[in-house]
Amino acid sequence: MTVRLSITNLNDVLASFDATEDAMEQAVQYAITLSGLAVERQAKQNASGRPGPNVRTGNLRRSITTKNGQRGFDGSYSVEVAGTMVYARAVEFGHPKWKPGVKYPYLGPAARDLSKNGTLSRVFTTALATRLKG
């Protein structure tokens, strides 16, 4: 017994695969960006007084921003969340002119805690599912 299959609309099938790949790409970029925004929100809360740095002007909090998620050359996706004030790094990691051990981490703990408690995973999967549903 011989079965013969014939695909007469190969171009349509391939175009459908391309469209699906594009939709997935956009959905992942959207989901990684929303995950970054969740870290940004938590970092701003962490940088809002005790325990943490005293808030004088709120400039550090306002400087914490998220860049849109993007795909790297190696196929990985990333999003950048950072404080842009000149002293943001010193607050996070300490400064040589400060007393030893004086630092007020706000960004690292935000990402770590949201990852540990599953929030980042939930934000990512919900955003991905929402975007793919259309």
Side-chain angles (χ1 to χ4, degrees), residues 8-126:
T8 58
N9 62 343
L10 182 59
N11 288 337
D12 293 338
V13 171
L14 294 175
S16 176
F17 285 144
D18 287 341
T20 302
E21 182 182 3
D22 289 344
M24 181 60 90
E25 173 85 19
Q26 291 175 3
V28 170
Q29 287 182 2
Y30 174 73
I32 197 82
T33 299
L34 286 188
S35 299
L37 290 170
V39 172
E40 176 186 328
R41 257 188 319 278
Q42 185 61 51
K44 286 180 177 184
Q45 289 176 358
N46 292 354
S48 296
R50 298 288 178 215
N54 286 329
V55 177
R56 291 186 184 167
T57 63
N59 288 339
L60 175 61
R61 262 194 328 251
R62 280 192 297 279
S63 80
I64 301 169
T65 59
T66 302
K67 291 184 181 177
N68 284 337
Q70 55 190 11
R71 184 176 183 182
F73 293 113
D74 62 352
S76 65
Y77 291 85
S78 65
V79 63
E80 183 177 317
V81 182
T84 58
M85 292 302 296
V86 294
Y87 54 84
R89 184 173 172 80
V91 173
E92 178 82 11
F93 298 110
H95 191 279
K97 293 183 180 180
W98 297 355
K99 292 180 185 177
V102 174
K103 58 185 176 179
Y104 302 103
Y106 57 94
L107 193 52
R112 219 173 9 261
D113 294 347
L114 292 177
S115 180
K116 280 183 182 177
N117 70 21
T119 300
L120 285 182
S121 180
R122 282 191 302 278
V123 167
F124 185 87
T125 54
T126 302

